[in-house]
Amino acid sequence: MNYNIAVLEGDGIGPEICAGAVCVLKKTGEKFGHRFNFTYHPIGGRAIDEYGIPLPEKTVKACLESDSVLLGAVGGYKWDDLPADKRPEKGLLELRKAMNLYSNIRPAKLWKNLADASPLKYELVKNGIEIIIVRELTGGIYFGERTRGNKNGDEYASDTEKYSVHEIERITKVACELAMKRAKKLVSVDKANVLETSRLWRRTVRAYCEKHYPEIELCDVLVDNMAMQMVKDPAQFDVVVTSNLFGDILSDEAAQITGSIGMLASSSLGETKRGLYEPIHGSAPDIAGQDVANPVATILAAAMMLRDSFNLNEEYSAIETAVQDVLDENYRTADIMSQGKIKVGCTKMAQMIADKI
Ligand code: NAD
């Protein structure tokens, strides 16, 4: 089979980690008899430098014409002082919107052998962790009306959170389908004791679950409690559904519990099979260009693309097993390094994983 993949490397470590994922995909293609065609398109800071905007129209067109999209990361010091609507991150928000990707699935998995990379006590993580955060991606405060002004010399700013029943129901459906394939347990996170949008969220999630997925054990948790519970007893969670803002923050917390954000991938999907696959981390400008970044998150994002966009389950498993094999042989990038292990760079790590396929 032929698959056309749009690669948006972005900024910082983006080109390095995408090169690693492309190397692994090419090897997977050779091994399983597929042809992956890669085309490269600008986004983020690089696009601002070249085209004056973070998401050129031709990048959107290329993504919509591709079978799926692999993204590195966007952003960097150089563009930090630009106004919000001109920053690299705006390109990513616009792309998610243009592709109508309303669900973001972020598995936070603690890999075997990496328990020592977790900042939590061994006792809390020894049996492994896999928290799958399903985050609403195209609504909420990141897309609400915003203002800035000055009243009597006092500068102010505001952001608005807005959700509709339709938006909440469709993300709840994604989370319920996932929960049904797993332990049939779902946690919905909100701030219903304070926010009106959260009260609508809670009522809608509960009604939807009761009507369509009565087998699922649903539990509502306030976001502040959730943040505490995740460090107190992370193994109690399986599938978690939440809003754009809370999901953004909690998924980074979950990532940190697993040891390194360099190991975690995410997928964003809408109504079609065409998705956006990316690592959960940013462009890490502090280590860009040094060949020290961990490429595993992007490699696993590419693997998720094979499984969730192209239905290539065996190929997905082959990549996941290759990652585990390289970890079992004690190779580590700097972010997951510990005593007695062998430190390797980004290119070498990706090559070793490709060689295991
Ligand atoms: P970051 O994720 O880029 O980096 C946080 C820390 O983790 C840094 O110390 C970094 O070196 C390290 N790190 C991240 N990825 C790593 C990897 N693969 N291997 C090893 N170490 C890794 O977050 P930040 O520093 O807050 O943001 C940097 C830039 O990235 C900002 O401009 C931010 O807006 C942007 N950003 C982009 C995305 C995205 O493109 N999806 C997401 C988050 C942040």
Side-chain angles (χ1 to χ4, degrees), residues 272-290:
T272 72
K273 279 276 179 192
R274 186 188 305 107
L276 176 66
Y277 296 83
E278 53 181 314
I280 72 151
H281 57 72
S283 58
D286 53 332
I287 56 166
Q290 299 171 30

Side-chain angles (χ1 to χ4, degrees), residues 116-154:
D116 55 356
S118 172
L120 296 189
K121 283 189 199 130
Y122 182 70
E123 275 305 299
L124 294 176
V125 295
K126 65 176 185 210
N127 294 327
I129 297 170
E130 191 164 7
I131 306 175
I132 302 186
I133 297 188
V134 180
R135 168 187 168 196
E136 199 293 322
L137 203 57
T138 49
I141 200 161
Y142 290 176
F143 293 96
E145 198 180 304
R146 54 194 70 196
T147 61
R148 255 177 108 151
N150 194 312
K151 200 170 179 187
N152 307 326
D154 190 15

Side-chain angles (χ1 to χ4, degrees), residues 17-31:
I17 52 177
C18 283
V22 166
C23 164
V24 172
L25 281 176
K26 279 185 178 160
K27 182 67 192 294
T28 311
E30 277 167 31
K31 198 81 189 170

Side-chain angles (χ1 to χ4, degrees), residues 13 73-76 89 92 261-262 278 281-287 293-294 335:
I13 58 171
V74 299
E89 294 78 359
L92 189 47
I261 54 172
E278 53 181 314
H281 57 72
S283 58
D286 53 332
I287 56 166
N294 188 344
D335 56 317

